Amino acid sequence: MYERYLWTTASRSAGATWTVEINFWQDFRRYLNGWVRIVGAIVACLTLVGVAIHAAQSIRLERERDTFDSLLTTPLRSEEILYGKWMGAILSVRWLLPWLALTWGLGVLGGGLNPLAVPLLALTWCVYAAAAASLGLWFSLVSRSSLRAVLYTILAGLGMSVGHWMIWLPCSCL
């Protein structure tokens, strides 16, 4: 099943012979695993940033266009409006999700990703997307402009993602 290649190289100066065994498929799987981790993480992060930005602009842009009052006069309850904006923010990046699924699929087919990891990765993405959409909607409700809502959402998301490291950074220097 696995093809092994033996390369023998003779050194002219020392008269020594080295034998290098290369297992092609094992190396391919290792490199594919690294590629899937890097590309999958980049695409997942880009989609989550897209969800957060779309959510941060959703209600604030309605107010800036003066369409928020007409939205409130519909027979929809405020919870239904917020749920629609929240779900719309999550689904706004649906055109990037096949790229993420293709990356994970290549990882599974190449043996660099366990097939049982794909549903867990998808569930993890959904949880983070829900959190990003909720954060963006909250800043969209309380900010005075859509630019501030986007900026506060990105800064709060970064703060929640890497801010806990700032607590431990002084401890590591001791």
Side-chain angles (χ1 to χ4, degrees), residues 46-61 89 92-93 132-133 135-137 140 146 149-151 153-154:
L46 287 176
T47 56
L48 293 174
V49 168
V51 167
I53 289 174
H54 192 274
Q57 292 177 339
S58 62
I59 294 175
R60 194 67 243 170
L61 285 178
S92 68
V93 294
L135 182 69
L137 273 178
S140 183
S146 59
V150 170
L151 182 65
T153 301
I154 297 298

Side-chain angles (χ1 to χ4, degrees), residues 7-130:
W7 289 357
T8 304
T9 305
S11 173
R12 293 182 188 164
S13 61
T17 302
W18 298 297
T19 301
V20 179
E21 184 177 334
I22 298 175
N23 191 338
F24 175 75
W25 289 110
Q26 187 177 7
D27 290 342
F28 175 74
R29 289 170 62 168
R30 186 177 64 221
Y31 292 128
L32 184 65
N33 190 359
W35 181 83
V36 167
R37 286 180 183 194
I38 292 169
V39 172
I42 290 172
V43 173
C45 286
L46 287 176
T47 56
L48 293 174
V49 168
V51 167
I53 289 174
H54 192 274
Q57 292 177 339
S58 62
I59 294 175
R60 194 67 243 170
L61 285 178
E62 292 277 350
R63 287 184 179 170
E64 290 173 1
R65 293 183 198 148
D66 290 332
T67 57
F68 189 67
D69 292 334
S70 62
L71 182 64
L72 290 177
T73 60
T74 63
L76 296 173
R77 296 186 326 230
S78 59
E79 294 87 12
E80 293 171 340
I81 294 171
L82 283 177
Y83 177 75
K85 297 287 186 184
W86 180 80
M87 188 58 76
I90 293 174
L91 294 177
S92 68
V93 294
R94 66 184 172 272
W95 55 275
L96 279 175
L97 294 180
W99 186 16
L100 189 58
L102 180 66
T103 303
W104 292 341
L106 286 174
V108 169
L109 290 177
L113 184 64
N114 190 338
L116 299 176
V118 175
L120 294 175
L121 287 171
L123 179 66
T124 303
W125 184 90
C126 289
V127 168
Y128 281 114

